[in-house]
Amino acid sequence: MPLTRRQFLASTAALALSPKTSFAATSPVIEATTGHVQLIDAEFGDYPQTEIWGYNGSVPGPLLRFKQGDTLKQELLNSLPSPTAIHWHGIRLPNAMDGVPGMTQNAVPTGARFHYEFPLKDAGTYWYHSHNQSTEQVARGLYGVVVVDENNAPDVDHDIVVVLDDWRLSDDAQVTDDFGAMHDWTHAGRLGNYIHAQLSEQPDSVPENARLRLRFVNVATDRVITVSVQGGDGKLIARDGMPLETPEPIDAMSFGPAERADILIDTKANEANAVQIVLHEGDTGYLLKEIPIAGSQPAREAIRPLPANPMPRLTDLTDALTVPLHMEGGAMGGLREATYEGETLDMRSLVDKGQVWAFNGQAGLSETPLVEVPQGQIVRIPMQNDTSFPHAMHLHGTHFQEVLPDGSFGPLKDTLLMLPRESREIAFIAGAPGKWLMHCHMLSHAAAGMRTWIKVV
Ligand SMILES: [Cu+2]
């Protein structure tokens, strides 16, 4: 794999990482507001600061850090010109705290506040982001990370959040405002020209045999980001916040939008003498971030699994209710017709309304849910991706497990990346009562039709 120091995905904007981290400390009030940040590193030229929309004016927003069992209490203050709301991605919470305007709360108008408060039952790596006009608001920077520490967390030398993002910037480094571009919505979504990684902590160097916990979060609106870590041996210990029962070897990791992974690595001297986070695009690797290795310390004990969370896991599918989900639409295999806002529309009328994807022939949300089930009901959703694009299927309110072809269950996840034409099945135990969204986390696809909901009573 050829490794180059920098990536230029487009002629105008360089791929790099910002020279310093903008992670701020936890604060009780999160103000959604505009800000200016130096997104493009000076070594790529004399680019001006980028105007962003961010929590407390930064990207990412403040790193919110709690202990398992704590109660999250955060006041959202909206100082943006548009209404907004915060979704707490992957966190089990009461429905009224889920942050979905039109479904669980009203969007918070300019100048107003909304109080979010809920107990944090599960440890792990989660994130928060706008769920209102999110194709625009997340693309402008409205996201941050929530870390819930285990009460007996593994001993590590550094615990570092790695935020992976993809920006579409103009020649003068500003976020382009082509948020509803139909070509994006019908294809792979809003792909940027500036991919970067921001670290919550950047040690000057680490010794050989240092143990690092790296928490990867893909906050991109639409891009699947594939990275590997060089300069260490380690294991994958959690996905989407939830511990793996058995840590797994790490290879290149592909993250659909919203997917996370925690890894533990013990640093090993390599040619570069550095821990390197490498972006893979096709056959080429691009260096996103590195931490030099200097000195040495004694080797660590073997990596053990994280303590399990209280999230229940599936044991069998007896009495499960099965609800198939047929995913269709987009370019190269489009939709002939679909129901939208109660009307059956042909393809041209759908495009006029910006709706080009459907679940079970329904574009956007229907009045009635995909399924209504009592709390505790096991639901199976065989999903058929009958499109030419990947989709990152996300369920709100609880994690699911994949039902694997041999009948066993995959790890707990809240987002599943499905490749074109792929069929995969998920199953979950219906959690807290309420209206829970299920959608593609390619936010362009969600805006253009890939949304449904599940009612738990
Ligand atoms: Cu999608």
Side-chain angles (χ1 to χ4, degrees):
M1 172 193 73
L3 180 63
T4 61
R5 288 198 64 83
R6 297 298 184 211
Q7 181 181 29
F8 289 79
L9 283 180
S11 58
T12 53
L15 177 137
L17 40 102
S18 64
K20 58 180 170 42
T21 176
S22 64
F23 285 84
T26 297
S27 59
V29 176
I30 299 177
E31 184 182 11
T33 186
T34 56
H36 289 85
V37 298
Q38 188 62 45
L39 268 186
I40 301 187
D41 196 336
E43 66 189 89
F44 297 95
D46 187 19
Y47 287 97
Q49 290 195 328
T50 303
E51 181 175 339
I52 55 96
W53 290 8
Y55 296 118
N56 294 354
S58 69
V59 278
L63 174 59
L64 305 179
R65 191 147 205 156
F66 300 90
K67 272 275 190 210
Q68 188 172 9
D70 282 355
T71 296
L72 177 148
K73 295 178 186 175
Q74 298 288 164
E75 182 103 337
L76 166 65
L77 165 62
N78 184 12
S79 300
L80 294 170
S82 306
T84 195
I86 296 179
H87 170 57
W88 306 91
H89 188 113
I91 300 179
R92 276 196 292 168
L93 37 59
N95 192 243
M97 295 288 108
D98 199 39
V100 180
M103 183 164 277
T104 69
Q105 67 168 94
N106 293 321
V108 181
T110 303
R113 292 168 180 261
F114 190 91
H115 184 72
Y116 293 98
E117 180 170 341
F118 45 87
L120 297 161
K121 299 174 188 171
D122 303 304
T125 304
Y126 304 95
W127 67 299
Y128 61 105
H129 62 84
S130 167
H131 219 297
N132 198 51
Q133 299 160 8
S134 54
T135 45
E136 173 176 357
Q137 295 198 358
V138 175
R140 289 191 186 276
L142 284 167
Y143 53 74
V145 175
V146 180
V147 169
V148 183
D149 285 307
E150 299 85 8
N151 288 310
N152 47 350
D155 182 32
V156 297
D157 293 288
H158 297 278
D159 183 333
I160 302 173
V161 175
V162 183
V163 170
L164 303 169
D165 199 6
D166 175 36
W167 294 80
R168 185 182 286 182
L169 301 176
S170 61
D171 288 349
D172 59 351
Q174 300 310 302
V175 178
T176 65
D177 63 1
D178 51 346
F179 300 110
M182 195 45 63
H183 185 272
D184 293 337
W185 283 21
T186 54
H187 289 73
R190 178 186 170 91
L191 302 182
N193 50 10
Y194 180 76
I195 300 173
H196 74 167
Q198 291 199 78
L199 308 189
S200 59
E201 183 192 345
Q202 173 83 62
D204 292 336
S205 70
V206 291
E208 194 173 3
N209 296 321
R211 180 161 286 180
L212 310 183
R213 181 173 184 167
L214 301 179
R215 302 169 182 266
F216 289 89
V217 184
N218 180 3
V219 301
T221 55
D222 295 275
R223 186 185 285 275
V224 178
I225 298 178
T226 302
V227 296
S228 65
V229 180
Q230 313 290 327
D233 287 339
K235 294 272 172 70
L236 182 63
I237 55 168
R239 297 183 72 183
D240 292 354
M242 292 293 159
L244 296 180
E245 289 175 298
T246 307
E248 293 172 6
I250 308 165
D251 199 354
M253 300 174 284
S254 280
F255 296 96
E259 285 193 297
R260 287 96 64 214
D262 290 28
I263 69 169
L264 282 186
I265 61 157
D266 294 335
T267 56
K268 289 275 173 292
N270 60 349
E271 224 172 80
N273 253 328
V275 177
Q276 298 178 309
I277 298 171
V278 178
L279 170 74
H280 298 262
E281 287 272 328
D283 290 336
T284 309
Y286 302 95
L287 184 62
L288 286 179
K289 208 74 174 176
E290 67 181 346
I291 302 169
I293 298 173
S296 184
Q297 69 182 35
R300 292 270 192 167
E301 287 176 13
I303 290 169
R304 290 201 295 266
L306 291 169
N309 276 328
M311 170 82 71
R313 288 173 190 269
L314 294 162
T315 52
D316 69 84
L317 296 173
T318 313
D319 303 325
L321 187 67
T322 300
V323 190
L325 192 74
H326 182 222
M327 304 153 62
E328 53 182 340
M332 296 172 284
L335 216 46
R336 262 196 229 107
E337 60 171 42
T339 304
Y340 178 65
E341 294 184 338
E343 279 183 280
T344 302
L345 301 177
D346 63 15
M347 189 170 66
R348 176 179 292 202
S349 310
L350 287 166
V351 170
D352 285 346
K353 293 179 183 294
Q355 298 299 301
V356 292
W357 305 91
F359 290 151
N360 295 349
Q362 169 75 42
L365 293 179
S366 51
E367 293 256 315
T368 52
L370 177 69
V371 65
E372 178 176 324
V373 290
Q375 192 170 6
Q377 171 72 50
I378 296 174
V379 181
R380 300 175 69 155
I381 306 184
M383 302 186 292
Q384 185 193 347
N385 178 6
D386 207 0
T387 82
S388 300
F389 294 88
H391 301 287
M393 296 299 292
H394 172 48
L395 175 64
H396 287 220
T398 192
H399 279 54
F400 53 77
Q401 288 173 270
E402 186 171 359
V403 182
L404 298 168
D406 67 359
S408 65
F409 300 114
L412 288 163
K413 295 272 295 159
D414 60 45
T415 306
L416 182 74
L417 181 60
M418 290 183 68
L419 299 179
R421 307 292 166 191
E422 206 172 43
S423 291
R424 313 266 291 268
E425 180 174 3
I426 60 169
F428 61 93
I429 305 166
K435 297 174 168 182
W436 300 105
L437 206 59
M438 181 175 174
H439 62 99
C440 176
H441 219 288
M442 273 85 170
L443 297 177
S444 302
H445 294 169
M450 288 195 128
R451 286 176 293 150
T452 186
W453 61 290
I454 287 164
K455 187 170 181 183
V456 181
V457 293

